[in-house]
Amino acid sequence: MWRFLSTRIAMGALTILATTVLVTLLIHAVPGDPVQIMYAQSQGTTPEQIEEVRRSLGLDRSIPVQYAMFMERLLQGDLGTTIRGGQPVLDVILQRLPNTLVLACSAMFIAIVIGIPIGFLAAYREGSLVDTGLMILAIAGISMPHFWLGLMLLFFFALELGWLPVSGNGPLNLILPALTLGLSNAAIFARLTRSSMIDVMHQDFVQTAYAKGLPKSLVLRRHVLRAGFLPVVTMMGLQFAFMMGGAIVVENIFSWNGVGRMAVEAIFQRDYPVIQGFILTFSVVVVVVAIGIDALYAVLDPRIRRA
Amino acid sequence: MSALLAVRDLSVTLRSGGEARMLAQDVSFDVARGQILSIVGESGSGKSMTAKALMGLLPPNATVSGEAWFRGANLLAKGSAPCRGTGIGLIFQEPMTALTPVLTIGTQLTEAMVVLGLADPAEARRRAIAMLDRVGIPAPDRRMRQYPHELSGGMRQRVMIAMMMLLEPEILIADEPTTALDVTVQAQILDLLRDIVRDTRIGLILITHDMGVVAETAQDVLVMKAGRTIEAGPVARIFTAPSAPYTRALLDAVPRLDRPGSSAGMVAGAAAGKTLLSAGHVSKTFHARAGLFASGLATRALDDVSLDIRQGETLALVGESGSGKSTLGRVITRLTDADHGAVTLGEENLLTLRGKSLRAARRKIQMIFQDPYASLDPRQRIGTSIAEPIAIHTTLSRAERQDRVGGLLARVGLTPEMAARYPHEFSGGQRQRIAIARALAAGPVLIVADEPTSALDVSIQAQILDLLADLKREEGLTMLFISHDLAVVRQIADRVAVMRQGRILELGPTEAVWTAARHPYTRALIDAAPVPDPTRPRGVRRPVSGDFAIGALREAALGHWVAT
Amino acid sequence: MTSLTDIPNGSAPPGFWRRMVRSSNGVVGLIIVLGLIFCAAFADLLAPYNPARMGTGGRFLPPGGKFLLGTDEFGRDMLSRILYGSRLTLLIGAVAVGISLTAGMLVGMVAAFRRGWVETLLMRSTDVLFSFTETLIALSFVAVLGPSLQNAVIAVGVAAVPFYARTCYSAALVETSKPYFEASIAAGAAPGRLVFLHLLPNVLPTMIVVATLGVSTAILAAAGLSFLGLGAQPPTSEWGYMLAGSRDYINRAPWLMTIPGLAIAITVLGFNLLGDGLRTSLDPVERR
Amino acid sequence: ADIVWARYGDIDTLDPHRATSTLSLQVWSLIYDTLLAVDADGNPVPHVAKSWTSNEAGTEYTFSLQEGVMCHDGTPLDASDVKYTIDQAFSETTPSVTKGSWGPITGAEVVDPLTIKLTLDTPFVAMIPFLADSFSSIICDSNADAEGFGTTTAIGSGPWKLISWTKGDRIVLEKNADYTNFGKLADNPGAPYEDGLIIAVVPEPQARYAALTTGEVHIAEPPFDDVPAIKDSGDLNIIVAENTGQNVFWEFAAHRPPFNDKRARLAVAHATDAATAINLIYGDLSIPEMCPVSRGVFGNDQDFCAQYRPEYDPDKSRALLAELGYSDDNPLETALLVWTGGNRQKLGEVFQAQLAEVGIKASIEIMDIGSLNARVRQENENTEGTTGSMDMMTWSWYDPDILYALWHTPGAYRGYTSPELDAILDETRVLTDPDARKAKVQEAFRYLLENAIHVPLYTPGWEWVFAVRPEVEGFKVAPFVYPIFSDVKIGG
Ligand SMILES: Nc1ncnc2c1ncn2[C@@H]1O[C@H](COP(=O)(O)OP(=O)(O)OP(=O)(O)O)[C@@H](O)[C@H]1O
Ligand SMILES: Nc1ncnc2c1ncn2[C@@H]1O[C@H](COP(=O)(O)OP(=O)(O)OP(=O)(O)O)[C@@H](O)[C@H]1O
Ligand SMILES: [Mg+2]
Ligand SMILES: [Mg+2]
Ligand code: NI
């Protein structure tokens, strides 16, 4: 297990390291002069000031030196300051990150709670009308753009029915965005769970369990579910990353104050330090969650736990 | 003696996509206490379906008809509860997948006893340990806490048997319980099953495709083909006087380990031939890559292997799974790069060739693979596949190439018109013939055949072996023949090399090795192989112990080398 | 060596069409996709009005009557806009998938074929990029290049490259280890022959399935970017952009939101179903 | 009770030297005071400075401050706080982003605690209106020692105190109980009536509307297209800001073809029917504008400007294009840059369609205002490259001096400048006599309009439409879109 986990952690570290490199290079890929673009709106900036910014971003140095500077600051927890408003990027991000995480986690929860039972039921009734119906529902769910689903939910539950609040970041406000993100992912989970469970149900060991005379419920609960759940767990890491990505859109629809909304604003404002910080944070979160889920997997699967 | 189980006119129909197929049709048989009934037949003949029907484990789209009387009730009647576990137990072919990977052995052994109310957990555990001991698993206490992946295939199969026996069924169905195992292990499992039947007087239904297994274990035989019963009767009668032509064909097709093969007469001549290819001190270690930084376990697939292949002979490589046979074949064909050693063909060391010269040299050694399905590019007409070596190495025109392909197809027993078809339009045996034709197309001096018949049904296996024997006789083909099936080897090989764990333990003329095996491992291997002769005494074999000589080869008799 | 005229015309595996026809999913998907292609191809003939003309009708006319799907905030005919939008949508899907497929297959096949350090380098970088997730890559791309439909399509295409590379790599790995491939090596085939005559034709079916499913992902992703304002710019009748614009009129004209959303959903559904159908038909082992 | 005001976006910072967005300015005006304030017509009046004098040459201004003004931390606001503010604006290392607008100030001298004297290099008439705007918010010098000025701290002397700012979400303010109002446009002479003010960020217009309906929010910009319905239903009151000071105009990359030719610029001007377009998109919430500065700003005179602004005349436009060698086969192609928000991209679409009528193919590109500024400047500075773009530029200012910033060499966008125009603009800065200055300012208008350098389109009202719940009384919006909350009482 430790070997398994250590490679995962090493891989994660490599990913984050690569992110730092890409993030440093990012600003160079911008067509035109990034500093000019960033400061163009402030009428008072002097050429000296622009030079100063260039220096502080290290843009006057060679790329390796820039990278070294960037890393040095990064290791001190300094992600630079925002162009709009001149505040520490780290603060700006840390203030919003919890909101995004809460959203992604609740959506994950919804996806699991809805998707896995549906997938299980469909697998259990494989080939039946129930199965077909559920899977049509699932493929429709996957095909539905979540920004559209979000708008529809907003329209019905907030505007038409007035059941749920639409401003602010309270727990009630979480319902719609989490539902939007959760439902589309529930469809994915349902399909995954179904195929994984069907795989398992067709395996010899399930037949063996039946052959022992075990009642169906026990076979399903103890043998099918445990084994069939493992591939679903491995997918969760990827799915979480997907949630984080989806959060970017959903946050914008529901005015949820997370890093996704911040990122889109920053892109429009060409606030490169914020964009850099966002990319870095995003990949750290995704990597950490992926490692966590791998660890969970390692604990659940004896083939890895005992290796 | 009245029958424990009486099956009458059992039929299974499978409905899929609007079509209905009969997978088993009017199968009838009886099983009595202490009786071993063997159901044999080729792959897909409906053996497993019959078993599953009795267990009530058919897929949802299958329907069953007929009667199966057990304990005074008809198992196949609508609404009747299946007697799984305590009535009838089932053991599957593949011990790797028949146990739930995420549960401990202990849980899996005891859960049914507890659920079915046969014992409380503590009692169940005690019985489980005792049963593990009974089926010959060392340190049963510890095993209870282990997971299936921590056990070897043979042990898992024993656990399976123990699991079913703990429920004290009256009938045990074993569906090809040894096919996935090595011969030596297979023999032990068969012994175990026989012992259990003798001691507990249960009825055993043993499903197999191997006539050798039948002859060694069963009292009665049921031969099936395409869902129908071809013939049924006591084993002695079936083997001595089969009434159905199919049964006879099945028996004829089985290579007999206990009789010398047809090629044996050529031994003397071939042995005199000059050395064609010689492998010297070849070693290969595989490093299983566990990840980016962690390097996984190393497997020594070949450990300082040396051998010569003589012009015109068939050298067989035998050994258990994982012993390195394929690796050696692949090193010789340069499909795998060796770590050390040399393979010389004529003056050339094949292992040092690269680029163009390697490609040019490749035509001299061709390979025939085990899996005929995967051996041909599914998206090429077989004519194109066969012509490929010709296209690469010659400047023949398209028409000339077609001629050559036609000739080759005829040579392997197909017709030239078939060149325009795609692989999926052929049967397995035909595909293997095509693969052989392609190997011949290059005009090789040596053919490496890696278990070319083990994926085929027995009747077809015999035809392919005959073809290879013909080619050898008529074209003077030199062949390195890899197999784990000793009977096959005896039929076709001039000389045999026995491998284990990457080393050659014994090497000598086939007959000499068979009749006077010098290495204990070789002897165990020969002992364990089932012999399709029910009249042979069925003795209990000792397991192969791990400690024997694996040192350098020494010539014990003329041309007969044994590890020291 | 032979000329490439020897390239066989690959055949579908046995029973492909039978299975395809029997997979009702695949058939429905095929019908939707064909319908879409039809709409796109004949948008000029089918569209009753000029999609960009303002004031064709009154503003915010509800669906029905002269304007089958109503009019938008400028009085443009929604039906015409949706029809022309199908053109863009298909183009977006095709270009993005084209980018991912080409680059992904190149990387995947080279890695599987060359092995050694090339393989390690390519696949490890792919792994790293893969864990970045597509959204992030696409967003970074747009952040650098600036919002425009073109950039969004490139971003979506590039973002999916790691996935295609991985899939192609594992498919190619399976093929290269198959005996027929090794037999070809053993026959002395040169790399070009191996790659173009054996590897490519055998990897292609898998990649076609992946690409079909990928079209739906790409369309969704590009529409998502347009929705955020990071993709299509006015007056394009890109569906995601139309959807974004409709937000202001949810109360007044809900159909402005419903119709483009439905259009995206049906299109994506079509490609998903088709991909599913192709997969089950190409791969008899895979259970639905 | 707390007043809840929802807006589409957040402030950039609480430090008035670090940003220029209207969203930020509106909040600063609540937290900070300014030396001067504006009356309902937009004219500067005394506020924290009870009076001021200047020398003959107009290079020295002396302000005497009100007594007893207190900063939120309890320290008195005096001349040193004003000096601190100005010093910060001209800081060597981190000058204000609006440093240019402070004018040629060379020194600030504390004469006595209640008197401050500013010295200027050259006369600068626009300084007085500038000091009435929140750009010049007085930053109490105690901020120098405070932790996190601009993010977690903002010590001012305005009617509301900062409690907290959650970025992207909300700003929580509490009433300044000690407040005295000297000149701000509020009837209330003292502290606000309500206890607190919450400024929430709700980007989706529909969400704001829903929140208004449910009562979660008291005041917010409604979705523009629902305004007529809201008005009809009468559930909410609609208040439209007047004298917003904002001016939206055609601006061109005048150093690149085709817009280096006056005729091309005129062709665009003649091709656009602003009145119709605005009416289509904004209804009666925005009004067409004839002058280069907006209504309420010194010098604005619709009738005067209408004489010179190129009128809507597609035929004239086509003729000009033909003269330039363009035709249907060879249309004038350009990029139409629009900055995000305020439904501007919709308006852009309408203009795009109008331009298409005369055969101008304009492709819309939407970008942030910062990127837009940079893009225009880049095109002007680097004249190689392809065709130049045109854009819907927006500026809001309280004084015609904005024209100096925009069009006096080198010009904010390095765009069109000429010695002739420079001379006119120079004079608008130094003429102290209002009538003389007005004449000069209008001369500048005429020059800009005739040469189609600055083609006014409209004065936006829509972003500054406020829907107010019926129980809210006393809400008003001062010129230049500063909402006033001191008078607000929440009834019911
Ligand atoms: N679940 C299933 N769905 C459809 N067809 C099936 C299924 N299981 C088995 N079959 C088909 O039923 C036929 C009989 O299968 P069965 O498993 O009984 O053969 P068998 O004699 O046990 O063969 P083998 O030696 O390969 O195990 C075969 O043609 C097989 O393809
Ligand atoms: N490509 C490979 N990577 C890692 N290990 C390998 C590889 N190929 C073979 N091995 C290992 O090398 C050992 C010898 O394998 P080989 O295939 O030569 O055995 P074999 O005698 O042909 O067995 P079988 O009868 O099962 O075909 C095995 O332990 C196998 O797991
Ligand atoms: Mg079977
Ligand atoms: Mg092998
Ligand atoms: Ni060596």
Side-chain angles (χ1 to χ4, degrees), chain A residues 240-267:
Chain A
F240 187 83
F242 198 77
M243 298 274 184
M244 290 281 292
I248 296 174
V249 175
V250 172
E251 280 175 5
N252 274 281
I253 297 175
F254 292 100
S255 316
W256 186 256
N257 187 27
V259 285
R261 210 177 93 199
M262 174 201 75
V264 173
E265 270 168 25
I267 289 177

Side-chain angles (χ1 to χ4, degrees), chain B residues 42-49 52 93 175-176 207:
Chain B
E42 293 181 358
S43 184
S45 54
K47 309 183 294 284
S48 299
M49 278 298 152
K52 284 182 181 170
Q93 166 180 356
D175 190 352
E176 314 218 15
I207 296 176

Side-chain angles (χ1 to χ4, degrees), chain D residues 149-313:
Chain D
F149 171 62
T151 50
T152 51
T153 329
I155 302 169
S157 57
W160 301 92
K161 289 195 236 183
L162 177 77
I163 299 296
S164 67
W165 173 30
T166 314
K167 285 179 209 76
D169 183 30
R170 59 187 52 222
I171 302 163
V172 179
L173 303 178
E174 181 191 67
K175 81 166 170 189
N176 176 5
D178 302 328
Y179 189 68
T180 317
N181 179 20
F182 300 104
K184 282 208 176 182
L185 197 69
D187 300 333
N188 183 353
Y193 298 125
E194 295 297 338
D195 302 329
L197 171 60
I198 293 167
I199 306 167
V201 182
V202 184
E204 278 295 313
Q206 290 297 338
R208 288 196 299 272
Y209 184 24
L212 272 171
T213 335
T214 57
E216 273 174 72
V217 160
H218 298 113
I219 301 164
E221 310 125 69
F224 161 72
D225 262 272
D226 291 317
V227 169
I230 295 173
K231 272 186 176 162
D232 288 345
S233 75
D235 293 339
L236 299 168
N237 300 320
I238 295 287
I239 293 178
V240 181
E242 286 169 27
N243 294 344
T244 59
Q246 298 189 323
N247 186 273
V248 181
F249 56 96
W250 283 140
E251 207 249 345
F252 304 92
H255 289 315
R256 281 193 187 190
F259 296 121
N260 54 2
D261 190 315
K262 173 177 157 185
R263 290 171 296 179
R265 301 195 296 265
L266 279 171
V268 169
H270 284 304
T272 41
D273 179 1
T276 309
I278 293 158
N279 190 38
L280 186 64
I281 300 300
Y282 300 125
D284 54 3
L285 298 174
S286 286
I287 32 178
E289 178 58 63
M290 291 294 158
C291 291
V293 298
S294 79
R295 281 164 228 249
V297 176
F298 184 81
N300 181 302
D301 179 340
Q302 296 299 308
D303 295 336
F304 172 82
C305 294
Q307 300 167 54
Y308 305 105
R309 189 198 179 280
E311 74 286 3
Y312 174 59
D313 187 347

Side-chain angles (χ1 to χ4, degrees), chain D residues 89-105:
Chain D
F90 288 89
S91 148
E92 287 277 319
T93 51
T94 53
S96 167
V97 294
T98 54
K99 181 179 160 188
S101 307
W102 289 80
I105 296 178

